[in-house]
């Protein structure tokens, strides 16, 4: 795979705040790339530099090998779906979507055809003539998405595209985004706060912290081999056990109950149990750490050996499933 | 934005700067300007003759301001107390006259106060037999005209802080045992004072610098600073003196606005402390 | 505000009614008298529009009205463009100095008479011939300030991300202005222009000082001032009524287009 976008040593400061600090990152053709990071870590700033609304103080942004970091936003083959949608309130749904194609001076019938197509795909055809203030949150979002997609950009940037939606709509839109990506075949960079969303949707994820790249890799890599304690904590749920001046990190689903064979075992008392979907989650107090260990059992495993609050249990795991960090 | 700034510079800043300079020159023999530095014009301002005129105009403007502020504040209070959905309309109606023709509004009072005007007619209808009262061309007429013209402005200036006032503050005061009047005096009035002060400064400055109202309702018998400036430029032909008076007018305005700003600042500080304490 | 006793409520209503009576009785009287057949305020002798007829036959008034229209239309048009650009310029700046704020605020608070004599001195020192054109130049000064104030108020609640979206979709700066920014602020621009128009139509002092000698550039307010000095005539009542109808219409329209222009 060749790099479609290559970010090299980019730095952006706002007064005394360094929003992005010497960041380098390659993004491949047709990739679904997720940017993760706490609030204020520089995600929006990075996207705004890619779209052309901020100019980096240092570094280069290469798209297809050409440096675009000084190119004005209207000339870049990159589109941004805004965190606030930024729909034009005085134009209809159709008008909003057609706007970008009109800027390319395409012929009227061509514009009409492509707008019609994308409205089919995003299920907006029935509300073509409505104004943005007559749409629900989810509908507005689809208009914002359609408006960016219809331009067939090389690269589509989405700033928390699903941020404002309720859980159910979110799940539906996640599938829809994936489907659209396969259908239209463009490269996506998605900013999200929601690590689960990133794990579900992305081909690769990057974690930002204070404007720096902490780790970048496939969701599996980042989940199973977090580069450091922060990344481990940021993605998924993790148990931490401090011993001998180092930290042992262990995923809840890697802990087994009453194991027949295990590299390590410990005794503990169940202090809470609750179902998370089909999985059963237990809090177990052990001598190993001040905070209870989190244990996640599949429905099968839970049925095989029922436990109640207050029960004493034996926990076990294999060394291969733990990660060790020296802080 | 550059063309607009250029326009304002060429046709406001430069002319006003010119007036500033003009005040320090001497009047020429035949009414022209002699370009020699002098402070005579300012000496003339404190001359008893002119100082007297200034004091009279300050008194008239002060009275008009006082009345306009009291009546305007009361009206603004009444509007703010009206049902919410009616407030915009009431306010619009109260302010509408302010934006219409000043001359016509002043002229309407000539019609009313005239010797054979409507008020006289009204008195006759009620059985009054004597000489028509002379109301036009009095100090009262000038003050009435000024109050009439600037009242809407005061209503507007006082309404904003009254409408913004948190109703729970007054309720809290009542809850703590204050009477309605005490609540007004100790809570509502202090919190809305900066708005009133700003309104008052403008009414006072516009009144003291007025020249239409004294000319039409005062019949030329009452001179305000505006009439004096007018006369220097159009009849006495003493431009440097006219310029000096204008500068005094601007100085009064800036001085009062600065005082108001300082008072508002201090008031805000006290309120902040009050909120913390 | 806190709820009040019925008695307080009633006295506040009475007070408000009295204030409104004070504000509107003079105006209503004027309008009523303009339709009085006999013309004198002493007696109502029947409804008539004949004074409007005499008005329309008066050449001086007609030419003054035409002058006023010319001044108001041209100065408003210039002010609408410059004022809007000024408002956009100020609001898109990250940092604004106090001097700039004072400069654009000044024309609204300087007493008319001071601006009037300043302009008169300026034009005559430059030996600039005065006439309708100098009135127009001068009226733009305050019209511009009012338009920019109204447009700035609108821009305070403007969501700038739509202009970024437009650029992102490929629009150059001017296209973004024409297709996105302008349509969205247009109601405020028109409201500001209507306000400027009425101010210009009604403005007397500055026009009076900058009109130059001779009758050719007399505006309507100057004509009205001259007529009032001769005393009360039925024609002035009719003229006053017409002028007020024009202002009230423009002001009401302006308020409808953009709530808060005249009163919040
Ligand atoms: N225009 C600006 N002026 C000054 N500082 C800014 C500006 N934009 C961003 N910052 C600062 O840069 C840092 C990164 O901000 P950014 O908006 O990129 O964070 P983010 O990761 O998108 O956060 P969130 O998840 O809350 O959206 C923050 O410290 C922020 O305060
Ligand atoms: Mg953000």
């Amino acid at each position: 795979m060749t790099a479609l976008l290559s970010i090299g040593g980019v730095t952006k400061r706002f007064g005394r705040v360094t929003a992005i600090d010497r960041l380098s990152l390659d993004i491949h053709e047709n990739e679904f790339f997720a940017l993760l990071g706490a609030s204020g870590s520089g995600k929006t700033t990075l996207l705004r530099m890619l779209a052309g609304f901020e100019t980096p103080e240092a570094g280069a942004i290469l798209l297809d090998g050409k440096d675009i970091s000084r190119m004005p936003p209207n000339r870049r083959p990159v589109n941004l779906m805004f965190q606030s949608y930024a729909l034009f309130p005085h134009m209809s749904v159709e008008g909003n979507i057609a706007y970008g194609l009109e800027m390319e001076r395409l012929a009227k019938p061509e514009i009409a055809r492509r707008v019609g197509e994308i409205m089919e795909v995003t299920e907006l055809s029935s509300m073509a003539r409505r104004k943005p203030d007559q749409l629900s949150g989810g509908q507005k979002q689809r208009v914002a998405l359609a408006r960016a997609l219809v331009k067939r950009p090389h690269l589509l940037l989405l700033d928390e595209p699903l941020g404002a939606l309720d859980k159910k709509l979110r799940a539906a839109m996640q599938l829809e985004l994936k489907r659209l990506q396969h259908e239209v075949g463009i490269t996506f960079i998605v900013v999200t706060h929601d690590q689960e969303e990133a794990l579900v949707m992305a081909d690769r994820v990057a974690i930002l912290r204070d404007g720096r790249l902490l780790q970048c890799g496939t969701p599996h890599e980042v989940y199973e081999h977090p580069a450091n304690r922060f990344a481990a904590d940021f993605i998924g749920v993790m148990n931490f056990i401090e011993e001998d001046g180092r930290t042992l990190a262990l995923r809840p689903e890697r802990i087994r109950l009453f194991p027949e064979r295990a590299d390590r075992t410990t005794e503990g008392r169940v202090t809470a149990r609750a179902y998370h979907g089909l999985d059963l989650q237990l809090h177990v107090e052990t001598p190993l750490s001040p905070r209870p260990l989190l244990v996640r059992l599949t429905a099968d495993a839970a049925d095989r050996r029922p436990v109640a609050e207050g029960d004493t249990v034996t926990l076990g795991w294999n060394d291969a499933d733990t990660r060790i960090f020296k802080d | 934005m550059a063309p607009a700034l250029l326009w304002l510079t060429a046709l406001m800043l430069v002319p006003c700067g010119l007036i500033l300079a003009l005040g320090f020159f001497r009047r020429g023999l035949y009414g022209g300007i002699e370009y020699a530095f002098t402070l005579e014009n300012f000496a003339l301002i404190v001359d008893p003759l002119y100082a007297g005129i200034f004091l009279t105009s300050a008194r008239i403007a002060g009275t008009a301001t006082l009345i306009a502020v009291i009546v305007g504040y009361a009206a603004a209070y009444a509007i703010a107390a009206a049902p919410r959905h009616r407030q915009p309309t009431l306010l619009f109606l109260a302010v509408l006259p302010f934006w219409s023709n000043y001359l016509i509004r002043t002229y309407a009072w000539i019609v009313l106060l005239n010797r054979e005007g409507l008020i006289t007619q009204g008195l006759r209808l009620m059985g009054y037999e004597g000489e028509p009262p002379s109301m036009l061309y009095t100090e009262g007429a000038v003050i009435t005209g000024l109050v009439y013209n600037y009242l809407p402005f005061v209503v507007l200036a006082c309404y904003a802080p009254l409408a913004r006032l948190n109703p729970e503050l007054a309720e809290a005061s009542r809850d703590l045992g204050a009477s309605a009047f005490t609540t007004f005096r100790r809570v509502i009035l202090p919190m809305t004072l900066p708005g009133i002060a700003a309104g008052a400064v403008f009414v006072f400055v516009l009144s003291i610098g007025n020249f239409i109202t004294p000319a039409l309702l005062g019949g030329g018998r009452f001179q305000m600073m505006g009439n004096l400036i007018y006369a220097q430029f159009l009849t006495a032909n003493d431009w440097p003196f006219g310029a000096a008076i204008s500068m005094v007018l601007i100085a009064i305005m800036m001085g009062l606005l600065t005082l108001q700003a300082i008072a508002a600042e201090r008031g805000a500080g006290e309120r902040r402390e009050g909120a913390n304490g | 505000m806190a709820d009040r006793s019925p008695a307080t409520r009633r006295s506040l209503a009475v007070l408000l009614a009295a204030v409104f009576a004070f504000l509107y009785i003079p105006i209503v009287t004027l309008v009523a008298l303009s339709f009085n057949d006999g013309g004198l305020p002493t007696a109502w002798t029947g409804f008539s529009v004949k004074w409007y007829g005499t008005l329309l036959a008066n050449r001086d008034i007609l030419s003054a009205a035409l002058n006023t229209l010319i001044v108001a239309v041209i100065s408003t048009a210039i002010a609408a463009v410059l004022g809007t650009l000024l408002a956009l310029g100020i609001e898109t700046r990250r940092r604004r100095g106090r001097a700039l704020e004072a400069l654009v605020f000044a024309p609204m608070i300087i007493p008319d008479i001071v601006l009037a004599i300043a302009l008169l001195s300026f034009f005559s020192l430059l030996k600039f011939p005065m006439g309708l054109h100098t009135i127009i130049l001068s009226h733009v000064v305050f019209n511009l300030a009012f338009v920019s104030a109204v447009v700035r108020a609108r821009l305070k609640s403007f969501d700038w991300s739509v202009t970024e979206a437009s650029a992102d979709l490929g629009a150059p700066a001017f296209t973004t202005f024409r297709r996105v920014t302008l349509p969205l602020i247009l109601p405020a621009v028109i409201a500001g222009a209507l306000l400027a128009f009425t101010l210009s139509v009604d403005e007397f002092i500055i026009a009076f000082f900058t009109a130059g000698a001779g009758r050719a550039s007399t505006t309507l307010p100057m004509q009205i001032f001259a007529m009032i000095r001769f005393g009360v005539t039925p024609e002035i009542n009719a003229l006053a009524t017409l002028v007020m109808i024009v202002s009230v219409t423009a002001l009401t329209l302006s308020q409808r287009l953009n709530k808060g222009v005249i009163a919040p």
Side-chain angles (χ1 to χ4, degrees):
Chain A
M1 272 198 287
T2 53
L4 170 72
L5 179 78
S6 172
I7 302 168
V10 164
T11 297
K12 176 74 196 173
R13 289 189 200 92
F14 295 107
R16 286 161 55 208
V17 179
T18 305
I20 292 291
D21 193 3
R22 285 162 294 166
L23 186 109
S24 297
L25 196 62
D26 276 358
I27 289 172
H28 307 303
E29 191 101 42
N30 278 332
E31 193 169 29
F32 199 118
F33 194 91
L35 274 177
L36 280 169
S39 188
S41 57
K43 307 179 298 287
T44 297
T45 306
L46 181 60
L47 287 202
R48 287 174 62 81
M49 281 195 287
L50 299 182
F53 298 115
E54 307 287 354
T55 320
E57 266 103 46
I61 299 171
L62 304 180
L63 186 73
D64 276 334
K66 281 189 308 260
D67 188 358
I68 59 163
S69 58
R70 318 261 140 192
M71 196 188 268
N74 53 315
R75 307 252 291 279
R76 295 190 188 196
V78 171
N79 287 109
L80 172 64
M81 181 181 154
F82 287 73
Q83 205 164 359
S84 64
Y85 311 143
L87 299 181
F88 306 125
H90 58 303
M91 297 181 197
S92 64
V93 167
E94 217 169 22
N96 265 283
I97 299 174
Y99 188 89
L101 297 180
E102 287 164 15
M103 293 307 132
E104 294 175 18
R105 300 187 191 286
L106 297 183
K108 280 235 166 71
E110 166 80 358
I111 295 180
R113 191 180 58 73
R114 276 171 63 178
V115 170
E117 259 174 33
I118 200 78
M119 284 198 303
E120 284 289 316
V121 174
T122 49
E123 293 173 17
L124 287 166
S125 309
S126 60
M127 47 202 89
R129 279 173 216 294
R130 286 205 218 157
K131 293 279 175 68
D133 62 4
Q134 299 166 318
L135 300 176
S136 73
Q139 290 163 346
K140 277 188 200 156
Q141 177 154 51
R142 277 182 279 154
V143 179
L145 189 62
R147 186 175 73 174
L149 274 176
V150 77
K151 300 239 332 164
R152 297 183 190 153
H154 282 43
L155 180 61
L156 185 58
L157 313 170
L158 304 107
D159 198 350
E160 302 208 26
L162 310 181
L165 300 187
D166 67 47
K167 218 170 170 174
K168 214 167 134 194
L169 207 53
R170 237 176 134 104
M173 285 304 288
Q174 283 173 0
L175 287 177
E176 183 125 338
L177 273 182
K178 277 302 267 190
R179 182 173 65 81
L180 277 170
Q181 197 219 0
H182 284 299
E183 247 162 61
V184 217
I186 38 185
T187 309
F188 278 60
I189 301 182
V190 182
V191 163
T192 173
H193 255 127
D194 180 345
Q195 35 107 357
E196 237 173 272
E197 188 171 286
L199 295 177
V200 171
M201 298 207 293
D203 299 321
R204 280 196 306 152
V205 299
I207 303 172
L208 290 190
R209 185 190 192 185
D210 296 336
R212 289 188 208 192
L213 185 66
L214 212 62
Q215 189 175 11
C216 176
T218 65
H220 185 263
E221 277 165 12
V222 176
Y223 190 81
E224 297 295 345
H225 305 285
N228 56 29
R229 196 180 155 149
F230 182 85
D233 201 18
F234 200 82
I235 297 251
V237 183
M238 191 67 99
N239 292 305
F240 292 104
I241 299 167
E242 318 272 346
E243 53 182 28
D244 313 331
R246 49 182 208 165
T247 305
L248 214 73
L250 182 60
R251 294 284 179 199
E253 66 272 17
R254 296 291 176 191
I255 302 179
R256 280 167 294 147
L257 209 58
F258 303 114
E260 284 152 19
R261 233 175 319 111
D263 296 346
R264 271 192 76 173
T265 53
T266 181
E267 296 268 303
R269 200 170 59 86
V270 177
T271 56
R273 63 195 286 281
Y275 277 97
H276 274 241
L278 288 176
D279 292 349
L280 179 67
Q281 197 161 296
L282 302 177
H283 286 213
V284 182
E285 262 176 12
T286 67
L288 293 179
S289 74
R291 285 175 52 190
L293 291 183
L294 223 68
V295 180
R296 199 160 186 154
L297 302 173
T298 58
D300 274 354
D303 285 344
R304 250 180 274 134
R305 187 75 189 259
V307 287
E309 264 174 54
D311 287 0
T312 301
V313 294
T314 308
L315 303 178
W317 59 85
N318 291 336
D319 287 339
D321 291 332
T322 61
R323 297 271 308 153
I324 291 164
F325 302 117
K326 295 199 176 91
D327 298 291
Chain B
M1 101 188 239
L5 293 182
L6 209 65
W7 200 292
L8 290 179
T9 307
L11 290 161
M12 186 185 67
L13 273 191
V14 173
C16 287
L18 187 66
I19 286 295
L20 195 70
L22 223 50
F24 293 99
F25 290 134
R26 184 167 290 155
R27 178 192 178 195
L29 212 49
Y30 305 102
I33 300 152
E34 200 186 307
Y35 294 95
F37 179 83
T38 175
L39 288 173
E40 273 169 26
N41 299 310
F42 295 93
L44 207 54
I45 284 173
V46 288
D47 182 276
L49 174 64
Y50 291 107
I53 296 179
F54 293 148
L55 286 181
T56 314
S57 46
R59 190 187 67 230
I60 295 179
T63 315
T65 305
L66 190 68
I67 299 174
V69 164
I70 293 173
V71 178
Y73 188 88
Y77 188 89
I79 293 177
R84 269 230 166 266
H85 62 280
R86 290 225 195 96
Q87 291 183 16
T89 315
L90 287 174
L91 190 65
F92 178 69
L93 284 177
V95 174
L96 187 61
F98 184 69
W99 295 102
S100 69
N101 197 304
Y102 189 96
L103 283 171
I104 293 175
R105 281 182 286 151
T106 307
Y107 166 70
W109 281 96
I110 299 185
V111 174
L112 289 177
L113 298 177
N114 215 334
R115 279 176 85 81
E116 287 305 320
L118 269 164
I119 292 182
T120 307
Q121 302 294 319
L123 289 174
R124 290 257 159 81
L125 272 183
M126 290 190 290
Y128 177 80
E129 302 261 308
E131 272 287 293
S134 43
M135 292 174 291
L136 198 56
Y137 308 143
T138 59
E139 193 172 317
V142 176
I143 292 174
T144 308
L146 292 172
V147 170
Y148 181 71
N149 278 307
Y150 297 128
L151 183 64
F153 182 72
V154 180
V155 175
L156 190 59
C158 295
Y159 173 79
L162 278 169
R164 244 184 286 123
L165 203 67
N166 182 353
E168 287 178 0
L169 286 176
E171 285 167 1
S173 162
R174 295 302 296 275
D175 184 64
L176 294 169
S179 70
F181 180 71
T182 309
T183 299
F184 176 76
R185 194 171 55 81
R186 297 276 310 271
V187 178
I188 299 177
L189 194 60
M191 296 207 59
T192 50
L193 213 51
I196 308 173
V201 171
F202 280 109
V203 175
F204 183 79
V205 172
L206 292 174
S207 296
I208 201 173
N210 207 296
F211 106 89
I212 295 178
T213 305
L216 295 181
L217 298 180
R221 271 193 271 172
F222 299 91
Q223 293 231 16
M224 306 287 273
M225 286 174 80
N227 305 82
L228 218 49
I229 298 173
Y230 171 91
Q232 301 315 313
F233 274 83
L234 294 188
T235 54
N237 233 341
D238 188 347
W239 289 21
F241 184 46
I245 305 172
S246 305
M247 277 170 59
V248 172
L249 185 57
I250 293 286
I252 292 175
M253 180 176 84
M254 305 241 263
L256 289 177
L257 281 178
T258 311
L259 272 181
Q260 185 265 334
I262 292 172
E265 189 70 18
R266 196 168 292 165
E270 267 167 30
R271 272 198 296 285
R272 267 195 299 279
E273 271 165 38
N276 293 340
Chain C
M1 284 212 230
D3 41 1
R4 293 176 182 77
S5 67
T8 321
R9 241 170 236 277
R10 216 171 305 123
S11 36
L12 283 174
V14 169
L15 176 113
L16 204 54
V19 170
F20 276 116
F22 174 66
L23 284 176
Y24 282 94
I25 283 176
I27 296 175
V28 171
T29 308
L30 206 60
V31 174
L33 284 180
S34 77
F35 293 107
N36 186 6
D37 188 59
L40 294 173
T42 33
W44 179 260
T45 51
F47 180 88
S48 155
V49 291
K50 76 176 185 202
W51 301 114
Y52 291 87
T54 14
L55 205 61
L56 293 178
N58 187 330
R59 287 186 161 276
D60 286 347
I61 290 179
L62 288 184
S63 93
L66 183 64
N67 281 343
T68 294
L69 206 63
I70 293 172
V71 169
V73 168
I74 300 180
S75 69
T76 301
I78 299 174
V81 175
L82 297 190
T84 304
L85 292 179
L86 178 63
L88 284 166
I90 297 178
E91 290 301 319
T92 48
R93 269 188 167 204
R94 293 229 170 125
R95 307 195 41 179
R96 296 191 279 277
R98 279 196 168 198
L100 181 62
E101 294 282 350
L103 180 65
V104 298
F105 194 50
M108 299 197 278
I109 62 165
I110 289 185
D112 302 358
I113 185 95
V114 176
L115 191 55
I117 56 137
L119 284 161
L120 169 66
S121 316
F122 178 67
F123 290 135
S124 44
L125 279 183
L126 286 182
K127 307 231 173 353
F128 198 79
M130 285 184 269
L132 277 190
H133 57 284
T134 38
I135 304 181
I136 293 172
L137 288 175
S138 312
H139 275 197
V140 171
V141 173
F142 60 84
N143 278 347
L144 156 71
F146 277 96
V147 171
S148 84
V150 175
V151 175
R152 278 181 73 184
R154 166 70 184 88
L155 288 177
K156 293 256 186 270
S157 64
F158 191 75
D159 175 14
W160 290 100
S161 68
V162 293
T163 63
E164 290 187 340
S166 170
D168 186 68
L169 293 168
F174 184 70
T175 307
T176 297
F177 175 73
R178 191 172 55 82
R179 294 208 43 193
V180 177
T181 317
L182 188 60
L184 289 176
I185 62 171
L186 199 59
V189 174
I190 296 175
L194 281 169
L195 185 62
F197 180 81
T198 61
L199 289 174
S200 185
V201 164
D202 290 340
E203 203 286 323
F204 165 60
I205 299 175
I206 294 172
F208 187 69
F209 277 83
T210 56
R215 291 203 40 85
S217 44
T218 299
T219 63
L220 210 48
M222 288 160 71
Q223 179 73 25
I224 294 174
F225 186 70
M227 286 166 76
I228 293 174
R229 289 201 134 177
F230 283 113
V232 178
T233 73
E235 270 171 304
I236 312 179
N237 299 341
L239 184 54
T241 304
L242 289 180
V243 171
M244 272 191 302
I245 290 174
V246 171
S247 337
V248 169
T249 312
L251 291 167
T252 312
L253 250 149
S254 176
Q255 176 79 1
R256 289 216 146 189
L257 269 172
N258 197 6
K259 296 241 178 314
V261 170
I262 297 162

